[in-house]
Amino acid sequence: MSGSPPPPPAIHPARKGSPMPQGPADTALAALQRGDLASCHRMTSELLRANPYDAGAIMLRGLSTPPADAVLALPLLQLACRIAPHNAEHWFQLGRWHEQRGRFVDAARAFRRAMALDPAHLPALSRGTEMLRVTEQFAEAIG
């Protein structure tokens, strides 16, 4: 891939229409969305001190890992998916991580899981279909 870091992920909050930020997790999410990885990382450290099993904080921690340390993000993203296996957004973000690194089969698998959990998750549907096309699984992409 190119040498430039990927753009900050677009995370789709569960509380649609609510003003942000509302709490520490929302503040960390807002920092991530504006590209302030250091602030997000610091805030997730505080959240994880309070609850080391907070899947949302673990996911944000993984997403806020600096691009140079991207390999360290994968175990965090996977852990968040194991702790909260029914969270479509977590599976979507895991898929994006794989996609950005050219791991298209793994990305398709994660997007497929996100779509199974939330068929209305349009970003997962879009990216999942694209990954099926890229991996030449055409019949599944159009079926």
Side-chain angles (χ1 to χ4, degrees), residues 28-67:
L29 174 58
L32 179 66
Q33 289 176 327
R34 70 176 177 268
D36 186 354
L37 301 182
S39 291
C40 181
H41 200 75
R42 186 176 54 258
M43 288 179 236
T44 57
S45 292
E46 294 170 19
L47 290 166
L48 291 169
R49 270 194 293 279
N51 178 3
Y53 301 102
D54 180 340
I58 293 168
M59 177 59 65
L60 287 171
R61 180 63 172 252
L63 295 172
S64 67
T65 301

Side-chain angles (χ1 to χ4, degrees), residues 33-104:
Q33 289 176 327
R34 70 176 177 268
D36 186 354
L37 301 182
S39 291
C40 181
H41 200 75
R42 186 176 54 258
M43 288 179 236
T44 57
S45 292
E46 294 170 19
L47 290 166
L48 291 169
R49 270 194 293 279
N51 178 3
Y53 301 102
D54 180 340
I58 293 168
M59 177 59 65
L60 287 171
R61 180 63 172 252
L63 295 172
S64 67
T65 301
D69 297 328
V71 69
L72 300 175
L74 181 58
L76 293 169
L77 303 178
Q78 292 170 325
L79 178 60
C81 289
R82 279 195 306 275
I83 291 172
H86 301 293
N87 187 312
E89 184 62 27
H90 290 180
W91 288 100
F92 173 72
Q93 294 301 332
L94 178 61
R96 292 285 294 151
W97 189 92
H98 284 301
E99 179 185 12
Q100 290 168 347
R101 283 148 192 86
R103 299 175 178 179
F104 302 128

Side-chain angles (χ1 to χ4, degrees), residues 117-129:
L117 292 167
D118 180 3
H121 195 294
L122 296 180
L125 178 62
S126 172
R127 298 312 315 142
T129 302

